[in-house]
Every structure is written in C-alpha cells, then in structure tokens.
Amino acid sequence: MARMPSAARRRQLTEAAIRAMTRDGVARTTTRSIAAEAGVSLSVFHYCFDSKQALVESVITTITDHYVTVVREALRPRATLEDTVRAGFQAYWDHVRARPDEHMLTYELTQYALRQPGFEHLARRQYELYADTYAELIEQLRTGMDFRLSVPVPVLARYLAAMTDGLTLNYLVLGDETVWTDILDAVTAHIAGLVQSP
C-alpha cells in the first residue's frame, strides 16, 4: 500500500471520526473505533493526532468547512444583494436538511468540550470560528457588490452566527420544514435592511 501524506491521512481520519461520532455519539467514539472506521491501525491514528483535543478541533473545523464551502459557492453576486444573501442562506439550509446528523453533532461537540476539563477552549474556538467565517463571507460580498453596513462587520458576523445557530437547533428539535421559507425570507429582509448604498 502506498504511503499517504500525513495531511491526507489526517483528513481521512477526521472524516472517519465525523462518521463515527455522528453514528455513535462523541462520548462513545474511541480512537480505536475511528481507526477501524478509517481502515487504519491505531498507531497511524496516534501518529496523526497526538491528543483527542487535536482530533476534536479538526472535526469542528472540518464540519464547518463542509457547509461554508457550499455557502461560499452560492454567494456569487446576483441581481440584487437580497437575492444573493437569500441564496447563501438557502445553500446553508439545504445543507442542514441534507445532513441533519452532522449538524446535530456540532451541538454535541460543544457540550462535550464544555464538560471535559481542558477541552473548554475548543467550544470557544468553535463559536469564534463561526463568527470568523461569517465575517469572511461578509467581506467576500462587500468586495463583489460594493456596499456599506450600518453595523460593524464583527457585530453582524456574531449576530448571524447566533441566529443561524438558533434556527438550526430549532429545526433539529422541531423538524417542521413548512415554516422555513418564510423564516429565511424574513431573515434575508432584515439583513438587507442593514445595508446602505456606497
């Protein structure tokens, strides 16, 4: 078997961890079960990750990357800013509906990190990553569409992170798909109201 570069092996193990944690829960997922899921030896796992903290951080970052990629692709400029923002929210929402277990895992990872001594910083990093990601997406839009905001980018980014976090959890609990089109339209209109002409 050809030797896989360590970065590729880490990605393979991270994706295996996501599958195992989604199926079995974070607390019940062991390094041995992740190695088995990836089809590698336990020694390969320990070569790639020196701690469970490093693995959990990689899982959080990778899950975030999964949906940010589809949102970023959807945020290409459209006829209006409102159409563009709505397309971004729709892309995120389609990802939630297609992969609810993966999004549920993000909440479990937060709770796990908050309850494990020494892991608390990972929960903080997770939510900082959400806000940083929104700030990056807002700047991407500003560059492509030339507009000003009535609130600072960090404030809007944290607001969007909190809002989508709450909506996602609400959907995972209630599962009612019929109301989300109207909710996303309302959120889009609200965000568009924070935009000023250049």
Side-chain angles (χ1 to χ4, degrees), residues 103-120:
H103 286 270
M104 194 176 304
L105 176 59
T106 65
Y107 295 98
E108 189 177 348
L109 285 164
T110 305
Q111 294 298 316
Y112 177 82
L114 288 173
R115 291 179 180 276
Q116 287 289 114
F119 281 60
E120 303 90 343

Side-chain angles (χ1 to χ4, degrees), residues 15 18 61-70 95 99 102:
E15 294 292 352
I18 291 169
T61 302
T62 301
I63 289 177
T64 304
D65 286 345
H66 285 174
Y67 66 77
V68 169
T69 299
V70 299
H95 193 275
R99 301 170 88 162
E102 191 170 295

Side-chain angles (χ1 to χ4, degrees), residues 18-189:
I18 291 169
R19 292 191 303 273
M21 289 176 176
T22 298
R23 182 183 62 239
D24 303 328
V26 176
R28 288 190 302 275
T29 299
T30 63
T31 55
R32 189 175 300 281
S33 67
I34 294 167
E37 181 76 24
V40 301
S41 68
L42 195 55
S43 62
V44 169
F45 177 92
H46 289 297
Y47 174 78
C48 292
F49 293 101
D50 58 5
S51 67
K52 193 166 184 182
Q53 287 186 12
L55 171 71
V56 169
E57 185 165 14
S58 183
V59 166
I60 289 169
T61 302
T62 301
I63 289 177
T64 304
D65 286 345
H66 285 174
Y67 66 77
V68 169
T69 299
V70 299
V71 172
R72 185 175 285 116
E73 290 170 359
L75 278 179
R76 64 183 184 281
R78 296 167 194 267
T80 67
L81 177 66
E82 197 159 339
D83 289 343
T84 306
V85 170
R86 182 64 172 80
F89 280 127
Q90 189 63 55
Y92 172 77
W93 207 251
D94 290 344
H95 193 275
V96 172
R97 291 171 58 212
R99 301 170 88 162
D101 291 344
E102 191 170 295
H103 286 270
M104 194 176 304
L105 176 59
T106 65
Y107 295 98
E108 189 177 348
L109 285 164
T110 305
Q111 294 298 316
Y112 177 82
L114 288 173
R115 291 179 180 276
Q116 287 289 114
F119 281 60
E120 303 90 343
H121 69 284
L122 294 180
R124 182 177 185 84
R125 179 65 197 119
Q126 179 182 9
Y127 276 76
E128 288 172 346
L129 179 61
Y130 294 165
D132 291 348
T133 299
Y134 269 109
E136 180 186 328
L137 292 172
I138 292 165
E139 292 296 354
Q140 175 188 326
L141 266 185
R142 286 206 316 183
T143 300
M145 301 194 78
D146 189 29
F147 59 82
R148 290 188 307 117
L149 293 167
S150 60
V151 296
V153 169
V155 172
L156 180 57
R158 192 164 289 252
Y159 168 74
L160 288 170
M163 182 270 304
T164 52
D165 191 50
L167 286 177
T168 303
L169 184 57
N170 199 275
Y171 171 75
L172 293 173
V173 172
L174 299 177
D176 183 358
E177 294 190 18
T178 61
V179 300
W180 295 104
T181 297
D182 290 342
I183 291 173
L184 294 182
D185 287 344
V187 170
T188 300

